Structures are given as C-alpha cells and as structure tokens.
Amino acid sequence: MGSNQVALCLELVSGGDCQQLLQRQGCLAEGAVHAMATQLCCAIRHLHEQHVLHRDVKLENCLVDNEVWPPRLKLCDFGHACVGQASDGEVDFYGTPGYSSPEVMARLAWSPAADVWAIGIVMFALLGNALPFERDFSWLRPPDFSGRAWWAVSVEAKLLLQTVLEADVTQRASLEEVLQSAWFMHGPPPAHEASAHEKARPTLGRRGYASMMQLGRAPRPVGVRDSSSEVGPASRSARDVTALASTAPKQEQEQEQEDRKSVV
C-alpha cells in the first residue's frame, strides 16, 4: 500500500440483515425481539450521546450474527448520519420510505425523535413481519395490531409501540423513556416467551416491503388529525406503559383464545 491509501478491515456478519432474517424465519418470538431491540436502542443512545443522528435506521441496516440466539445485532451504514441535534429545518435527506418519521416527511427537521420512530418501525416489523404504515399518511392512525401475527404479542409491547409510533413528535416517547418502559426493563411476560427457534405465529410472507417503496412524501403538517377519520386512543407516554399494562383488561387474551378456537 502507498502512503496515500487507507485499508479498512470490517467485521464479517454472516447472518445477513434483519429483513433477510424475517424472510427466512417469519415472525420472531417476542423474547428474541426484546434482546435485539435492546441492542439497537443502546447503539442509538450511544450515537445520540455523541450528538450524532443515524437518520437511516431500517431492517436492511441492522445486521445479525445468528451464530447465537437471540442474534447479536450490528447497526451499520452511517452514510446519511449527521452531527447535531437537529437540522433547523434544512432537511437534505428524507430517509427511507416506510421508516421516515412524519416530521421528516413534512420537510421540518431531523432530531433524535426521528431515530426513535425508526426503531419503532423495526420493532414492529420484527414482531409482525410487515411494516406498519403502507399508505400515504396512514401514520395518522395508530398502528394496527389486529392481525394474527399479534396474537402472541404482549400488551406491554403493543402499548410501547403505540407510544413510539406517535405521529406528533412532541408526544412521542423519548429514547430514555423507551428504555425505562416496563417491556424493556422487565422483558416480555413469561406467557409470551418462546423457545429459541419456535415459530408459533403465522408467517405473513414478505408483505409490505415492496409497497413501502411506492410511498409518496408530500408535505403535511405534523400531528394534524382528519376529523372525518376514525383515529385511535389518545397518545400515551412511555412512563404510563407500566401502569396501563398492569390495569389492562383480560378480555383481549380471552378474545384471542376464542379466535384461535374458531380458526381451528
């Protein structure tokens, strides 16, 4: 090598990325997602502590070392990362369709909250094998947990995702609130834990990935709600997840059991 050349030695991650993992495995067990999401949040927290925004958190940029289970997650591709807490409205990169937060799509500014939104998208995809928002401005409604893939997912996880995937950036949970939530602190309830490679939930195929690339990104005021649309319950902060989960009614689990019997 010459004096003006640089050689980079990179770690080999043989398991591919998270999207490839979903294509091979289908929906992941909640315990595995908990371990992977914890690693992702810790990586993003380290970046934010250095005043760096990743700006392109997505399944393809989360590599997995699946020689162990749950897989070790490696965050990669810092080509769009920037230094600074926000870009003060000078948005020059709008993220990947399907992962961009509403305020970024509206050409407002990048902030740590945009990375938190993308973490929520990744968590949703790992649990449900689909991206949560497949149409323009579908994020104006809460994420849909009615599919069969969500039967085995705990109430704590669903409540946490609802606080992370909050369109209004001022109401969205911060990264510290996410890490201090009941689901992250204590893990999924024992009833929702599965064996290492168990696939108890149905595989939904590869729905969502192709259609997300067709998303438009027209400006829209953040947090504007369509009065004619049916919107979900009011946003909750991650601090309330523990209290809400402890008082959540048991009807949801009973309904899930009845649905399973009717399917059988």
Side-chain angles (χ1 to χ4, degrees), residues 49-100:
E49 288 174 349
Q50 311 306 314
H51 306 292
V52 173
L53 306 180
H54 187 281
R55 302 206 302 174
D56 201 18
V57 177
K58 58 183 178 181
L59 292 171
E60 297 90 331
N61 287 341
C62 296
L63 305 181
V64 290
D65 177 5
N66 58 0
E67 293 183 358
V68 296
W69 196 267
R72 284 190 290 264
L73 187 144
K74 312 280 187 177
L75 183 63
C76 70
D77 193 354
F78 291 79
H80 294 294
C82 70
V83 178
Q85 288 297 307
S87 57
D88 298 326
E90 297 179 359
V91 178
D92 56 352
F93 171 67
Y94 303 102
T96 299
Y99 297 88
S100 297

mmCIF file of all heavy atoms in Angstrom, residues 49-100:
data_model
loop_
_atom_site.group_PDB
_atom_site.id
_atom_site.type_symbol
_atom_site.label_atom_id
_atom_site.label_comp_id
_atom_site.label_asym_id
_atom_site.label_seq_id
_atom_site.Cartn_x
_atom_site.Cartn_y
_atom_site.Cartn_z
ATOM 1 N N GLU A 49 -25.651 10.327 22.360
ATOM 2 C CA GLU A 49 -24.791 10.921 23.387
ATOM 3 C C GLU A 49 -23.587 11.626 22.755
ATOM 4 O O GLU A 49 -23.033 12.555 23.347
ATOM 5 C CB GLU A 49 -24.317 9.840 24.359
ATOM 6 C CG GLU A 49 -25.414 9.329 25.280
ATOM 7 C CD GLU A 49 -24.955 8.157 26.129
ATOM 8 O OE1 GLU A 49 -23.856 7.615 25.837
ATOM 9 O OE2 GLU A 49 -25.672 7.775 27.063
ATOM 10 N N GLN A 50 -23.217 11.186 21.550
ATOM 11 C CA GLN A 50 -22.129 11.845 20.818
ATOM 12 C C GLN A 50 -22.668 12.907 19.857
ATOM 13 O O GLN A 50 -21.931 13.408 19.006
ATOM 14 C CB GLN A 50 -21.325 10.806 20.025
ATOM 15 C CG GLN A 50 -20.894 9.591 20.812
ATOM 16 C CD GLN A 50 -20.142 9.930 22.078
ATOM 17 O OE1 GLN A 50 -19.236 10.781 22.050
ATOM 18 N NE2 GLN A 50 -20.488 9.283 23.186
ATOM 19 N N HIS A 51 -23.963 13.230 19.994
ATOM 20 C CA HIS A 51 -24.638 14.227 19.155
ATOM 21 C C HIS A 51 -24.646 13.824 17.679
ATOM 22 O O HIS A 51 -24.531 14.672 16.791
ATOM 23 C CB HIS A 51 -23.990 15.606 19.320
ATOM 24 C CG HIS A 51 -23.900 16.056 20.743
ATOM 25 N ND1 HIS A 51 -25.013 16.375 21.493
ATOM 26 C CD2 HIS A 51 -22.835 16.204 21.565
ATOM 27 C CE1 HIS A 51 -24.640 16.720 22.716
ATOM 28 N NE2 HIS A 51 -23.323 16.622 22.792
ATOM 29 N N VAL A 52 -24.793 12.546 17.423
ATOM 30 C CA VAL A 52 -24.846 12.018 16.060
ATOM 31 C C VAL A 52 -26.222 11.394 15.839
ATOM 32 O O VAL A 52 -26.717 10.634 16.680
ATOM 33 C CB VAL A 52 -23.750 10.961 15.823
ATOM 34 C CG1 VAL A 52 -23.921 10.300 14.450
ATOM 35 C CG2 VAL A 52 -22.372 11.598 15.944
ATOM 36 N N LEU A 53 -26.842 11.731 14.723
ATOM 37 C CA LEU A 53 -28.104 11.120 14.305
ATOM 38 C C LEU A 53 -27.810 10.132 13.190
ATOM 39 O O LEU A 53 -27.111 10.459 12.230
ATOM 40 C CB LEU A 53 -29.088 12.182 13.803
ATOM 41 C CG LEU A 53 -29.395 13.347 14.745
ATOM 42 C CD1 LEU A 53 -30.387 14.304 14.093
ATOM 43 C CD2 LEU A 53 -29.944 12.842 16.079
ATOM 44 N N HIS A 54 -28.354 8.932 13.288
ATOM 45 C CA HIS A 54 -28.108 7.929 12.253
ATOM 46 C C HIS A 54 -28.888 8.257 10.988
ATOM 47 O O HIS A 54 -28.367 8.194 9.881
ATOM 48 C CB HIS A 54 -28.486 6.538 12.759
ATOM 49 C CG HIS A 54 -28.100 5.435 11.825
ATOM 50 N ND1 HIS A 54 -28.841 5.118 10.701
ATOM 51 C CD2 HIS A 54 -27.045 4.580 11.842
ATOM 52 C CE1 HIS A 54 -28.255 4.107 10.061
ATOM 53 N NE2 HIS A 54 -27.168 3.759 10.735
ATOM 54 N N ARG A 55 -30.173 8.558 11.121
ATOM 55 C CA ARG A 55 -31.071 9.027 10.068
ATOM 56 C C ARG A 55 -31.483 7.951 9.051
ATOM 57 O O ARG A 55 -32.258 8.250 8.145
ATOM 58 C CB ARG A 55 -30.482 10.219 9.298
ATOM 59 C CG ARG A 55 -30.152 11.419 10.162
ATOM 60 C CD ARG A 55 -30.180 12.703 9.379
ATOM 61 N NE ARG A 55 -29.251 12.700 8.256
ATOM 62 C CZ ARG A 55 -29.175 13.675 7.357
ATOM 63 N NH1 ARG A 55 -29.989 14.728 7.456
ATOM 64 N NH2 ARG A 55 -28.310 13.608 6.362
ATOM 65 N N ASP A 56 -31.003 6.729 9.195
ATOM 66 C CA ASP A 56 -31.412 5.698 8.237
ATOM 67 C C ASP A 56 -31.495 4.338 8.921
ATOM 68 O O ASP A 56 -31.038 3.328 8.386
ATOM 69 C CB ASP A 56 -30.435 5.645 7.061
ATOM 70 C CG ASP A 56 -31.069 4.993 5.824
ATOM 71 O OD1 ASP A 56 -32.307 4.899 5.764
ATOM 72 O OD2 ASP A 56 -30.316 4.576 4.932
ATOM 73 N N VAL A 57 -32.112 4.323 10.110
ATOM 74 C CA VAL A 57 -32.331 3.058 10.816
ATOM 75 C C VAL A 57 -33.423 2.285 10.092
ATOM 76 O O VAL A 57 -34.527 2.787 9.895
ATOM 77 C CB VAL A 57 -32.732 3.312 12.281
ATOM 78 C CG1 VAL A 57 -33.020 1.995 12.993
ATOM 79 C CG2 VAL A 57 -31.640 4.091 13.011
ATOM 80 N N LYS A 58 -33.121 1.069 9.680
ATOM 81 C CA LYS A 58 -34.079 0.223 8.977
ATOM 82 C C LYS A 58 -33.612 -1.223 9.051
ATOM 83 O O LYS A 58 -32.482 -1.509 9.482
ATOM 84 C CB LYS A 58 -34.236 0.666 7.526
ATOM 85 C CG LYS A 58 -32.942 0.676 6.714
ATOM 86 C CD LYS A 58 -33.187 1.209 5.302
ATOM 87 C CE LYS A 58 -31.894 1.272 4.495
ATOM 88 N NZ LYS A 58 -32.134 1.803 3.132
ATOM 89 N N LEU A 59 -34.478 -2.144 8.618
ATOM 90 C CA LEU A 59 -34.154 -3.561 8.694
ATOM 91 C C LEU A 59 -32.865 -3.888 7.956
ATOM 92 O O LEU A 59 -32.042 -4.672 8.433
ATOM 93 C CB LEU A 59 -35.302 -4.397 8.113
ATOM 94 C CG LEU A 59 -36.615 -4.409 8.902
ATOM 95 C CD1 LEU A 59 -37.708 -5.085 8.088
ATOM 96 C CD2 LEU A 59 -36.433 -5.102 10.248
ATOM 97 N N GLU A 60 -32.684 -3.285 6.775
ATOM 98 C CA GLU A 60 -31.510 -3.590 5.964
ATOM 99 C C GLU A 60 -30.213 -3.098 6.593
ATOM 100 O O GLU A 60 -29.135 -3.571 6.220
ATOM 101 C CB GLU A 60 -31.656 -2.986 4.564
ATOM 102 C CG GLU A 60 -32.814 -3.548 3.761
ATOM 103 C CD GLU A 60 -34.112 -2.779 3.967
ATOM 104 O OE1 GLU A 60 -34.297 -2.201 5.057
ATOM 105 O OE2 GLU A 60 -34.931 -2.738 3.039
ATOM 106 N N ASN A 61 -30.283 -2.139 7.512
ATOM 107 C CA ASN A 61 -29.082 -1.602 8.149
ATOM 108 C C ASN A 61 -28.853 -2.186 9.536
ATOM 109 O O ASN A 61 -28.003 -1.695 10.283
ATOM 110 C CB ASN A 61 -29.160 -0.075 8.234
ATOM 111 C CG ASN A 61 -28.956 0.578 6.880
ATOM 112 O OD1 ASN A 61 -28.426 -0.039 5.961
ATOM 113 N ND2 ASN A 61 -29.386 1.820 6.741
ATOM 114 N N CYS A 62 -29.608 -3.210 9.874
ATOM 115 C CA CYS A 62 -29.413 -3.932 11.135
ATOM 116 C C CYS A 62 -28.934 -5.336 10.804
ATOM 117 O O CYS A 62 -29.722 -6.208 10.425
ATOM 118 C CB CYS A 62 -30.711 -3.982 11.940
ATOM 119 S SG CYS A 62 -31.311 -2.372 12.491
ATOM 120 N N LEU A 63 -27.635 -5.547 10.892
ATOM 121 C CA LEU A 63 -27.053 -6.848 10.590
ATOM 122 C C LEU A 63 -27.194 -7.770 11.799
ATOM 123 O O LEU A 63 -27.241 -7.311 12.944
ATOM 124 C CB LEU A 63 -25.583 -6.696 10.215
ATOM 125 C CG LEU A 63 -25.268 -5.721 9.070
ATOM 126 C CD1 LEU A 63 -23.764 -5.700 8.798
ATOM 127 C CD2 LEU A 63 -26.038 -6.094 7.808
ATOM 128 N N VAL A 64 -27.265 -9.078 11.546
ATOM 129 C CA VAL A 64 -27.459 -10.033 12.629
ATOM 130 C C VAL A 64 -26.394 -11.116 12.578
ATOM 131 O O VAL A 64 -26.074 -11.655 11.525
ATOM 132 C CB VAL A 64 -28.862 -10.680 12.557
ATOM 133 C CG1 VAL A 64 -29.937 -9.672 12.905
ATOM 134 C CG2 VAL A 64 -29.137 -11.274 11.185
ATOM 135 N N ASP A 65 -25.837 -11.395 13.732
ATOM 136 C CA ASP A 65 -24.931 -12.524 13.917
ATOM 137 C C ASP A 65 -25.766 -13.639 14.531
ATOM 138 O O ASP A 65 -26.026 -13.651 15.737
ATOM 139 C CB ASP A 65 -23.773 -12.127 14.833
ATOM 140 C CG ASP A 65 -22.830 -13.281 15.122
ATOM 141 O OD1 ASP A 65 -23.020 -14.365 14.540
ATOM 142 O OD2 ASP A 65 -21.914 -13.108 15.946
ATOM 143 N N ASN A 66 -26.216 -14.573 13.696
ATOM 144 C CA ASN A 66 -27.131 -15.602 14.178
ATOM 145 C C ASN A 66 -26.422 -16.890 14.566
ATOM 146 O O ASN A 66 -27.029 -17.953 14.606
ATOM 147 C CB ASN A 66 -28.214 -15.897 13.128
ATOM 148 C CG ASN A 66 -27.621 -16.335 11.798
ATOM 149 O OD1 ASN A 66 -26.405 -16.414 11.657
ATOM 150 N ND2 ASN A 66 -28.477 -16.606 10.833
ATOM 151 N N GLU A 67 -25.113 -16.790 14.873
ATOM 152 C CA GLU A 67 -24.430 -17.944 15.436
ATOM 153 C C GLU A 67 -24.880 -18.199 16.865
ATOM 154 O O GLU A 67 -24.653 -19.278 17.410
ATOM 155 C CB GLU A 67 -22.917 -17.733 15.376
ATOM 156 C CG GLU A 67 -22.369 -17.701 13.949
ATOM 157 C CD GLU A 67 -20.864 -17.554 13.916
ATOM 158 O OE1 GLU A 67 -20.269 -17.441 15.014
ATOM 159 O OE2 GLU A 67 -20.284 -17.554 12.812
ATOM 160 N N VAL A 68 -25.484 -17.189 17.471
ATOM 161 C CA VAL A 68 -26.091 -17.331 18.798
ATOM 162 C C VAL A 68 -27.550 -16.931 18.673
ATOM 163 O O VAL A 68 -27.973 -16.300 17.704
ATOM 164 C CB VAL A 68 -25.378 -16.449 19.845
ATOM 165 C CG1 VAL A 68 -23.940 -16.894 20.036
ATOM 166 C CG2 VAL A 68 -25.424 -14.985 19.422
ATOM 167 N N TRP A 69 -28.363 -17.313 19.651
ATOM 168 C CA TRP A 69 -29.771 -16.920 19.654
ATOM 169 C C TRP A 69 -30.167 -16.471 21.042
ATOM 170 O O TRP A 69 -29.872 -17.161 22.009
ATOM 171 C CB TRP A 69 -30.658 -18.097 19.219
ATOM 172 C CG TRP A 69 -32.039 -17.632 18.847
ATOM 173 C CD1 TRP A 69 -33.138 -17.571 19.666
ATOM 174 C CD2 TRP A 69 -32.455 -17.142 17.573
ATOM 175 N NE1 TRP A 69 -34.209 -17.072 18.993
ATOM 176 C CE2 TRP A 69 -33.831 -16.807 17.707
ATOM 177 C CE3 TRP A 69 -31.824 -16.949 16.357
ATOM 178 C CZ2 TRP A 69 -34.567 -16.287 16.638
ATOM 179 C CZ3 TRP A 69 -32.559 -16.446 15.302
ATOM 180 C CH2 TRP A 69 -33.907 -16.129 15.446
ATOM 181 N N PRO A 70 -30.782 -15.301 21.182
ATOM 182 C CA PRO A 70 -31.171 -14.358 20.137
ATOM 183 C C PRO A 70 -29.949 -13.790 19.405
ATOM 184 O O PRO A 70 -28.860 -13.710 19.984
ATOM 185 C CB PRO A 70 -31.911 -13.257 20.904
ATOM 186 C CG PRO A 70 -32.290 -13.866 22.204
ATOM 187 C CD PRO A 70 -31.211 -14.851 22.519
ATOM 188 N N PRO A 71 -30.127 -13.395 18.156
ATOM 189 C CA PRO A 71 -28.987 -12.908 17.370
ATOM 190 C C PRO A 71 -28.390 -11.631 17.953
ATOM 191 O O PRO A 71 -29.094 -10.831 18.561
ATOM 192 C CB PRO A 71 -29.593 -12.644 15.984
ATOM 193 C CG PRO A 71 -30.871 -13.407 15.960
ATOM 194 C CD PRO A 71 -31.367 -13.426 17.366
ATOM 195 N N ARG A 72 -27.105 -11.471 17.765
ATOM 196 C CA ARG A 72 -26.462 -10.198 18.084
ATOM 197 C C ARG A 72 -26.699 -9.244 16.924
ATOM 198 O O ARG A 72 -26.521 -9.606 15.768
ATOM 199 C CB ARG A 72 -24.970 -10.389 18.329
ATOM 200 C CG ARG A 72 -24.626 -11.008 19.669
ATOM 201 C CD ARG A 72 -23.138 -10.927 19.938
ATOM 202 N NE ARG A 72 -22.393 -11.811 19.055
ATOM 203 C CZ ARG A 72 -21.995 -13.042 19.383
ATOM 204 N NH1 ARG A 72 -22.279 -13.522 20.578
ATOM 205 N NH2 ARG A 72 -21.322 -13.781 18.514
ATOM 206 N N LEU A 73 -27.096 -8.027 17.249
ATOM 207 C CA LEU A 73 -27.456 -7.051 16.224
ATOM 208 C C LEU A 73 -26.334 -6.032 16.057
ATOM 209 O O LEU A 73 -25.773 -5.541 17.044
ATOM 210 C CB LEU A 73 -28.769 -6.376 16.596
ATOM 211 C CG LEU A 73 -29.397 -5.436 15.557
ATOM 212 C CD1 LEU A 73 -30.911 -5.545 15.591
ATOM 213 C CD2 LEU A 73 -28.974 -3.995 15.821
ATOM 214 N N LYS A 74 -26.016 -5.724 14.805
ATOM 215 C CA LYS A 74 -24.970 -4.755 14.486
ATOM 216 C C LYS A 74 -25.579 -3.655 13.608
ATOM 217 O O LYS A 74 -26.096 -3.927 12.531
ATOM 218 C CB LYS A 74 -23.824 -5.422 13.715
ATOM 219 C CG LYS A 74 -23.318 -6.723 14.329
ATOM 220 C CD LYS A 74 -22.393 -6.481 15.485
ATOM 221 C CE LYS A 74 -21.786 -7.791 15.965
ATOM 222 N NZ LYS A 74 -20.818 -7.594 17.063
ATOM 223 N N LEU A 75 -25.511 -2.425 14.079
ATOM 224 C CA LEU A 75 -26.022 -1.289 13.309
ATOM 225 C C LEU A 75 -24.957 -0.844 12.309
ATOM 226 O O LEU A 75 -23.798 -0.650 12.668
ATOM 227 C CB LEU A 75 -26.380 -0.137 14.240
ATOM 228 C CG LEU A 75 -26.997 1.105 13.608
ATOM 229 C CD1 LEU A 75 -28.333 0.785 12.964
ATOM 230 C CD2 LEU A 75 -27.166 2.204 14.663
ATOM 231 N N CYS A 76 -25.348 -0.669 11.045
ATOM 232 C CA CYS A 76 -24.368 -0.322 10.013
ATOM 233 C C CYS A 76 -24.884 0.827 9.144
ATOM 234 O O CYS A 76 -25.975 1.347 9.372
ATOM 235 C CB CYS A 76 -24.057 -1.544 9.143
ATOM 236 S SG CYS A 76 -25.410 -2.062 8.058
ATOM 237 N N ASP A 77 -24.093 1.209 8.158
ATOM 238 C CA ASP A 77 -24.416 2.216 7.142
ATOM 239 C C ASP A 77 -24.653 3.591 7.760
ATOM 240 O O ASP A 77 -25.786 4.006 8.013
ATOM 241 C CB ASP A 77 -25.630 1.793 6.316
ATOM 242 C CG ASP A 77 -25.787 2.661 5.069
ATOM 243 O OD1 ASP A 77 -25.027 3.648 4.924
ATOM 244 O OD2 ASP A 77 -26.665 2.368 4.239
ATOM 245 N N PHE A 78 -23.566 4.300 7.969
ATOM 246 C CA PHE A 78 -23.633 5.649 8.525
ATOM 247 C C PHE A 78 -23.471 6.704 7.425
ATOM 248 O O PHE A 78 -23.066 7.835 7.693
ATOM 249 C CB PHE A 78 -22.561 5.829 9.602
ATOM 250 C CG PHE A 78 -22.817 5.017 10.836
ATOM 251 C CD1 PHE A 78 -22.528 3.670 10.886
ATOM 252 C CD2 PHE A 78 -23.370 5.606 11.966
ATOM 253 C CE1 PHE A 78 -22.766 2.913 12.018
ATOM 254 C CE2 PHE A 78 -23.625 4.864 13.106
ATOM 255 C CZ PHE A 78 -23.318 3.520 13.135
ATOM 256 N N GLY A 79 -23.796 6.319 6.200
ATOM 257 C CA GLY A 79 -23.621 7.241 5.087
ATOM 258 C C GLY A 79 -24.491 8.477 5.153
ATOM 259 O O GLY A 79 -24.151 9.513 4.573
ATOM 260 N N HIS A 80 -25.617 8.405 5.848
ATOM 261 C CA HIS A 80 -26.506 9.562 5.967
ATOM 262 C C HIS A 80 -26.499 10.154 7.377
ATOM 263 O O HIS A 80 -27.327 11.033 7.677
ATOM 264 C CB HIS A 80 -27.937 9.167 5.597
ATOM 265 C CG HIS A 80 -28.101 8.790 4.156
ATOM 266 N ND1 HIS A 80 -27.946 9.692 3.127
ATOM 267 C CD2 HIS A 80 -28.388 7.598 3.564
ATOM 268 C CE1 HIS A 80 -28.146 9.088 1.966
ATOM 269 N NE2 HIS A 80 -28.409 7.819 2.197
ATOM 270 N N ALA A 81 -25.601 9.695 8.225
ATOM 271 C CA ALA A 81 -25.538 10.221 9.588
ATOM 272 C C ALA A 81 -25.101 11.684 9.556
ATOM 273 O O ALA A 81 -24.407 12.128 8.638
ATOM 274 C CB ALA A 81 -24.568 9.394 10.423
ATOM 275 N N CYS A 82 -25.531 12.429 10.551
ATOM 276 C CA CYS A 82 -25.146 13.839 10.652
ATOM 277 C C CYS A 82 -24.858 14.188 12.099
ATOM 278 O O CYS A 82 -25.307 13.499 13.019
ATOM 279 C CB CYS A 82 -26.239 14.750 10.089
ATOM 280 S SG CYS A 82 -27.747 14.817 11.090
ATOM 281 N N VAL A 83 -24.087 15.228 12.285
ATOM 282 C CA VAL A 83 -23.736 15.710 13.614
ATOM 283 C C VAL A 83 -24.642 16.875 13.956
ATOM 284 O O VAL A 83 -24.814 17.799 13.162
ATOM 285 C CB VAL A 83 -22.263 16.150 13.681
ATOM 286 C CG1 VAL A 83 -21.924 16.696 15.065
ATOM 287 C CG2 VAL A 83 -21.349 14.980 13.328
ATOM 288 N N GLY A 84 -25.234 16.832 15.123
ATOM 289 C CA GLY A 84 -26.121 17.907 15.550
ATOM 290 C C GLY A 84 -27.447 17.335 16.006
ATOM 291 O O GLY A 84 -27.898 16.299 15.515
ATOM 292 N N GLN A 85 -28.072 18.026 16.938
ATOM 293 C CA GLN A 85 -29.333 17.545 17.486
ATOM 294 C C GLN A 85 -30.487 17.717 16.517
ATOM 295 O O GLN A 85 -31.479 17.030 16.595
ATOM 296 C CB GLN A 85 -29.635 18.274 18.799
ATOM 297 C CG GLN A 85 -28.732 17.841 19.932
ATOM 298 C CD GLN A 85 -28.910 16.376 20.273
ATOM 299 O OE1 GLN A 85 -30.004 15.915 20.510
ATOM 300 N NE2 GLN A 85 -27.813 15.640 20.291
ATOM 301 N N ALA A 86 -30.397 18.663 15.608
ATOM 302 C CA ALA A 86 -31.454 18.870 14.613
ATOM 303 C C ALA A 86 -30.869 19.699 13.480
ATOM 304 O O ALA A 86 -29.832 20.359 13.631
ATOM 305 C CB ALA A 86 -32.667 19.584 15.220
ATOM 306 N N SER A 87 -31.532 19.669 12.348
ATOM 307 C CA SER A 87 -31.005 20.390 11.188
ATOM 308 C C SER A 87 -31.681 21.735 10.984
ATOM 309 O O SER A 87 -31.509 22.368 9.952
ATOM 310 C CB SER A 87 -31.184 19.534 9.930
ATOM 311 O OG SER A 87 -32.544 19.198 9.759
ATOM 312 N N ASP A 88 -32.481 22.172 11.962
ATOM 313 C CA ASP A 88 -33.091 23.502 11.919
ATOM 314 C C ASP A 88 -33.877 23.755 10.631
ATOM 315 O O ASP A 88 -33.823 24.831 10.045
ATOM 316 C CB ASP A 88 -32.024 24.582 12.082
ATOM 317 C CG ASP A 88 -31.307 24.501 13.421
ATOM 318 O OD1 ASP A 88 -31.969 24.126 14.406
ATOM 319 O OD2 ASP A 88 -30.117 24.795 13.470
ATOM 320 N N GLY A 89 -34.577 22.725 10.192
ATOM 321 C CA GLY A 89 -35.426 22.884 9.026
ATOM 322 C C GLY A 89 -34.737 22.689 7.699
ATOM 323 O O GLY A 89 -35.392 22.616 6.669
ATOM 324 N N GLU A 90 -33.404 22.602 7.687
ATOM 325 C CA GLU A 90 -32.676 22.411 6.429
ATOM 326 C C GLU A 90 -32.520 20.914 6.175
ATOM 327 O O GLU A 90 -31.464 20.324 6.368
ATOM 328 C CB GLU A 90 -31.312 23.094 6.508
ATOM 329 C CG GLU A 90 -31.416 24.609 6.677
ATOM 330 C CD GLU A 90 -30.047 25.265 6.781
ATOM 331 O OE1 GLU A 90 -29.036 24.531 6.731
ATOM 332 O OE2 GLU A 90 -29.997 26.488 6.921
ATOM 333 N N VAL A 91 -33.600 20.295 5.734
ATOM 334 C CA VAL A 91 -33.611 18.855 5.521
ATOM 335 C C VAL A 91 -33.119 18.560 4.113
ATOM 336 O O VAL A 91 -33.712 18.997 3.130
ATOM 337 C CB VAL A 91 -35.027 18.281 5.741
ATOM 338 C CG1 VAL A 91 -35.041 16.787 5.477
ATOM 339 C CG2 VAL A 91 -35.507 18.575 7.155
ATOM 340 N N ASP A 92 -32.012 17.827 4.017
ATOM 341 C CA ASP A 92 -31.465 17.479 2.718
ATOM 342 C C ASP A 92 -31.587 15.986 2.426
ATOM 343 O O ASP A 92 -31.241 15.530 1.346
ATOM 344 C CB ASP A 92 -29.993 17.895 2.622
ATOM 345 C CG ASP A 92 -29.143 17.281 3.737
ATOM 346 O OD1 ASP A 92 -29.732 16.672 4.658
ATOM 347 O OD2 ASP A 92 -27.913 17.411 3.684
ATOM 348 N N PHE A 93 -32.056 15.219 3.393
ATOM 349 C CA PHE A 93 -32.239 13.788 3.216
ATOM 350 C C PHE A 93 -33.515 13.400 3.946
ATOM 351 O O PHE A 93 -33.738 13.808 5.077
ATOM 352 C CB PHE A 93 -31.034 13.022 3.779
ATOM 353 C CG PHE A 93 -31.231 11.529 3.840
ATOM 354 C CD1 PHE A 93 -31.331 10.775 2.676
ATOM 355 C CD2 PHE A 93 -31.315 10.875 5.057
ATOM 356 C CE1 PHE A 93 -31.509 9.406 2.734
ATOM 357 C CE2 PHE A 93 -31.490 9.505 5.115
ATOM 358 C CZ PHE A 93 -31.588 8.771 3.953
ATOM 359 N N TYR A 94 -34.357 12.639 3.284
ATOM 360 C CA TYR A 94 -35.683 12.366 3.823
ATOM 361 C C TYR A 94 -35.857 10.931 4.291
ATOM 362 O O TYR A 94 -36.962 10.480 4.522
ATOM 363 C CB TYR A 94 -36.748 12.710 2.780
ATOM 364 C CG TYR A 94 -36.654 14.145 2.327
ATOM 365 C CD1 TYR A 94 -36.079 14.472 1.107
ATOM 366 C CD2 TYR A 94 -37.091 15.180 3.147
ATOM 367 C CE1 TYR A 94 -35.963 15.789 0.700
ATOM 368 C CE2 TYR A 94 -36.982 16.509 2.749
ATOM 369 C CZ TYR A 94 -36.414 16.797 1.522
ATOM 370 O OH TYR A 94 -36.303 18.103 1.127
ATOM 371 N N GLY A 95 -34.756 10.206 4.439
ATOM 372 C CA GLY A 95 -34.834 8.862 4.961
ATOM 373 C C GLY A 95 -35.357 7.871 3.938
ATOM 374 O O GLY A 95 -35.580 8.182 2.770
ATOM 375 N N THR A 96 -35.564 6.646 4.384
ATOM 376 C CA THR A 96 -36.084 5.580 3.537
ATOM 377 C C THR A 96 -37.595 5.520 3.674
ATOM 378 O O THR A 96 -38.111 5.522 4.790
ATOM 379 C CB THR A 96 -35.467 4.229 3.942
ATOM 380 O OG1 THR A 96 -34.043 4.289 3.780
ATOM 381 C CG2 THR A 96 -36.032 3.097 3.091
ATOM 382 N N PRO A 97 -38.330 5.481 2.558
ATOM 383 C CA PRO A 97 -39.801 5.375 2.646
ATOM 384 C C PRO A 97 -40.208 4.189 3.509
ATOM 385 O O PRO A 97 -39.676 3.093 3.386
ATOM 386 C CB PRO A 97 -40.217 5.173 1.179
ATOM 387 C CG PRO A 97 -39.125 5.817 0.388
ATOM 388 C CD PRO A 97 -37.863 5.571 1.161
ATOM 389 N N GLY A 98 -41.163 4.437 4.375
ATOM 390 C CA GLY A 98 -41.603 3.410 5.304
ATOM 391 C C GLY A 98 -40.962 3.526 6.665
ATOM 392 O O GLY A 98 -41.492 3.008 7.650
ATOM 393 N N TYR A 99 -39.817 4.204 6.748
ATOM 394 C CA TYR A 99 -39.104 4.370 8.012
ATOM 395 C C TYR A 99 -38.996 5.832 8.428
ATOM 396 O O TYR A 99 -38.680 6.119 9.578
ATOM 397 C CB TYR A 99 -37.693 3.783 7.901
ATOM 398 C CG TYR A 99 -37.654 2.295 7.651
ATOM 399 C CD1 TYR A 99 -37.679 1.789 6.355
ATOM 400 C CD2 TYR A 99 -37.592 1.386 8.706
ATOM 401 C CE1 TYR A 99 -37.637 0.424 6.113
ATOM 402 C CE2 TYR A 99 -37.550 0.022 8.475
ATOM 403 C CZ TYR A 99 -37.585 -0.460 7.177
ATOM 404 O OH TYR A 99 -37.545 -1.815 6.945
ATOM 405 N N SER A 100 -39.223 6.755 7.499
ATOM 406 C CA SER A 100 -39.108 8.180 7.813
ATOM 407 C C SER A 100 -40.240 8.618 8.731
ATOM 408 O O SER A 100 -41.393 8.250 8.533
ATOM 409 C CB SER A 100 -39.141 9.009 6.528
ATOM 410 O OG SER A 100 -38.044 8.699 5.705
#
